[in-house]
Amino acid sequence: MPLYDLNGKNKYYTLYCCIRGDILRGKLKSGERLPAKRALAKDLGVSVVTVQLAYEQLLAEGYVTSRERSGYFVERVLPQENFLVQREERGAHKKPPEPETEPESGHGRSQPYADDHTQYIADFVKGATPAKLFPFSVWTKLTRAVLADCGEHLLERVPCDGDAELKAEIAAYLYRSRGVDTDPRYIVIGAGAEYLYGVIVQLVGRDKLYAVENPGYATISGAYALNGARFAPVPVGEEGISLGGLKQINADVLHISPSHQFPTGVITPAYMRSRIIEWALGGDRYIVEDDYDSEFRLSGRPLQSLFSLCPERVIYMNTFSKTLAPSMRMGYMALPPALYKKFLKLFSSSANVVPLFEQKTLAAMLKGGYFERHLSRLKNYYRDIRRQTLETLGTLFPDCEVYDTQGGPHLLARLADGYGKDIFDAAKDSGARVKRLSDYFLAPSAEPKKYAVFNYSGVTAEQLAALKFKKYNK
Amino acid sequence: MPLYDLNGKNKYYTLYCCIRGDILRGKLKSGERLPAKRALAKDLGVSVVTVQLAYEQLLAEGYVTSRERSGYFVERVLPQENFLVQREERGAHKKPPEPETEPESGHGRSQPYADDHTQYIADFVKGATPAKLFPFSVWTKLTRAVLADCGEHLLERVPCDGDAELKAEIAAYLYRSRGVDTDPRYIVIGAGAEYLYGVIVQLVGRDKLYAVENPGYATISGAYALNGARFAPVPVGEEGISLGGLKQINADVLHISPSHQFPTGVITPAYMRSRIIEWALGGDRYIVEDDYDSEFRLSGRPLQSLFSLCPERVIYMNTFSKTLAPSMRMGYMALPPALYKKFLKLFSSSANVVPLFEQKTLAAMLKGGYFERHLSRLKNYYRDIRRQTLETLGTLFPDCEVYDTQGGPHLLARLADGYGKDIFDAAKDSGARVKRLSDYFLAPSAEPKKYAVFNYSGVTAEQLAALKFKKYNK
């Protein structure tokens, strides 16, 4: 009898789940070597590629590490082991930006480029999904269908937590795409991420301290400040957020993007995820799992969510502004049952802030599979643009070092110290607008390796070609 | 040469403006008698009805008072006079609810009817505009036109303050319908009134004290509390809010509905408006002029806004949830320039929370005159329902006393003390669901005259007929 029984379509995902289960249940112990790929493939009657994909997924999520020429080894994942893990013990299998280690005169939350009137060939800062990729004809069709089907129901007041049909479609989508198993009841629809941050403050408390990732989106900490709550930055390193830093500031809430941190691209490894959950369970604490951009993981399956590990302590949230269009203000969150109860208490006499028409149209897009087809096209497009961005970087700066976790749509790059100028100036000279990694620091902090962030979601193939052309004609 | 030169269509409104101007400029002095209606009509070559309408408008706004059989007299309006005005001096030309005078064991912010499973014939509490009145075919047509005309522009990120076209249309509409002359730049679009209350707290300050009308909407004070600001109720009397009460609590912001207070229906008279503005100018204070339901003034022109008197200190706001549909979350506010600047500073990196599609459709409705035609139909409908409500009340309770300022869609009614039961119980017995005026008190307060609030916006002619029918068959 083979080790694992793999039926159905997604063989590699099933295999990944089986191995992950064995690791979490302690059947596969920390330090243990996984079977050789070829041998396991033969044993299970699947292709080597299937095993390879499963192992890569486990590697990306931090369940295993890989040692060159010796294979894959189980990481320390289980909570009881976690407390013993010292950072020094872990092998350096990744090249992280390490922004918090060497102190240096940092940069604040400044808005660079405000006075910059340079004419750029390509803008790696703005990062808007190209409008031409939006399924406009589908959307038009659904819009008309919603008008015809719903009629005067479209005029009815929407319950405070949103349209029930959309809530159900989002729950089903989260299960399909993300493995997030949530009761549709506990989903709340809101007018975009920033609106939802405000609701979170109202639910969890304005007197609480909110820990945010540093570097990170200034809009997140800005939203907490705007809503009258205190926030404190916590450094992000190669393993995600610094747990020591988090404990030091005595925060009540942690706002985190474990699947794909912006701008570092760091993926929080599995054993760190367990420890973060433990932190939350150690007190009356909550985690906001901000899954923005997680759809753009360009290889492998999506990463397991914190929410799945502990739905009582994690608020899972995301928006459709990037995957559909920024003009559609639609975000959602899956709340822990206790917070959902409080939401009803506070908002039951209010109507939902998103127009019903928009909610019904999005529900139809999800229901008909249009959204996921669109997302798949978008990912193909980004894979292409990413490849061309890497090529262009290689052409412009042959000794450029890239840090990229394939969790698009952005990557980090830097030039070797002896290059004479840093990549920010070099990119500007070449006609590419970028931001320094340090521009995303919320507090003065170290950034020894002078990375720049290349957000390629708003850059076209033509612009990338023009950059190369300029290099050749220099 | 006649006293006033009346050309153009709206003769009565022109006459009203002329007389108002004379009062404000001091040409017509406090206590002076207006010319007799018949004589002035003859003098100006207009009908007596025209003069009558102009005088009624002046009366409704408190520029003049009427004394039975002696005519209309100019009120004390000018600021320099206002300080001398004692409340006792003013004639009692109205029958107000006087809710703040006689202390009595009050009612809290309770939600009555939560456990009430009575089957009512007519619901005078809910108050939703009937869906059948919504111009659905126009809206469908405009929706399609917007899709075709705007195309991919609909996907673009909307600036933080809203779509420029909609802002311009709202400014034009406010000028046409309300005489509010505002720079479209300073208008901010938001996802409904409650969302905008939150933005106001972010703009004016969470540490400020917000005065709210008592009785009033619990959602208003609730929104301030939810956003972490303090609020304090100020009693509403026959002249609107109590200035003494306002000064006593040392508030920084006053949230007020001067054109039509809910639930009392009180209209703040002109001389009180000047004094409220003076209060704001006497410190770093702001007024939130919440013009909700002001469109439903069923006779005469709309009342002059506080915003027009002092755009530097007044935030003018309203929504389309009642006039269009509650499922369309669309509100707006006209900000004082200083607050608009602050808004840009706080929100410039955020997108507006209302979908562009909705904004473009509403802009098209306003531009094509569809909204105002709809509003006019709605007012005709409400005039009718109001008349039938009054008839029904007269049939059910022949000695019922009604307090109604024609600022629909609700009115107050009470039964004489000797009736045996109060109107709340009597209405319930007849099959009509109402709320006691005291249910709208935010703090325990007096309500000696036991009024009930009849919100007739969600009641149909059939339901009113059924109420009468039940009475006849008792």
Side-chain angles (χ1 to χ4, degrees), chain A residues 154 194 206 226 327 350 358, chain B residues 154 206 226 327 350 358:
Chain A
L154 287 175
E194 281 161 76
R206 211 175 299 282
L226 203 54
S327 68
S350 310
E358 240 77 16
Chain B
L154 287 175
R206 212 175 298 281
L226 204 53
S327 67
S350 311
E358 241 75 16

Side-chain angles (χ1 to χ4, degrees), chain B residues 5 8 233 254 315 317 379 433:
Chain B
D5 186 22
L254 168 61
I315 299 167
M317 65 175 297
K379 280 169 75 169
R433 182 182 172 210

